[in-house]
Amino acid sequence: MIYLCEDCHYLFRSSEPAERCPDCGKIHIRPANEKEQKEFWSYQKEFHPELLAANH
Ligand SMILES: [Zn+2]
């Protein structure tokens, strides 16, 4: 599941329900919508291709 922090707009992936943002530590997070999930994956492909390989 992909989440978005509404405070710092950090997008992150978590296999368990997340309660706080791993970046700023605030609890204003919500599941990312479809557009934001696409942003997350395009960011991963561009900057962290090794993480994608490890997660599959
Ligand atoms: Zn945050």
Side-chain angles (χ1 to χ4, degrees), residues 5-10 12 20-26 28-29:
C5 172
E6 293 194 302
D7 265 295
C8 66
H9 285 198
Y10 182 70
F12 62 100
R20 24 179 96 234
C21 170
D23 197 46
C24 69
K26 292 190 178 149
H28 298 148
I29 60 169

Side-chain angles (χ1 to χ4, degrees), residues 3-50:
Y3 295 90
L4 173 81
C5 172
E6 293 194 302
D7 265 295
C8 66
H9 285 198
Y10 182 70
L11 280 162
F12 62 100
R13 185 180 178 208
S14 176
S15 52
E16 294 173 17
E19 289 180 356
R20 24 179 96 234
C21 170
D23 197 46
C24 69
K26 292 190 178 149
I27 55 170
H28 298 148
I29 60 169
R30 61 168 170 78
N33 65 31
E34 201 173 318
K35 178 171 169 280
E36 290 153 355
Q37 290 187 36
K38 278 187 190 150
E39 270 177 48
F40 174 84
W41 290 117
S42 64
Y43 178 88
Q44 294 295 304
K45 265 185 216 154
E46 193 164 349
F47 298 102
H48 298 291
E50 78 286 359

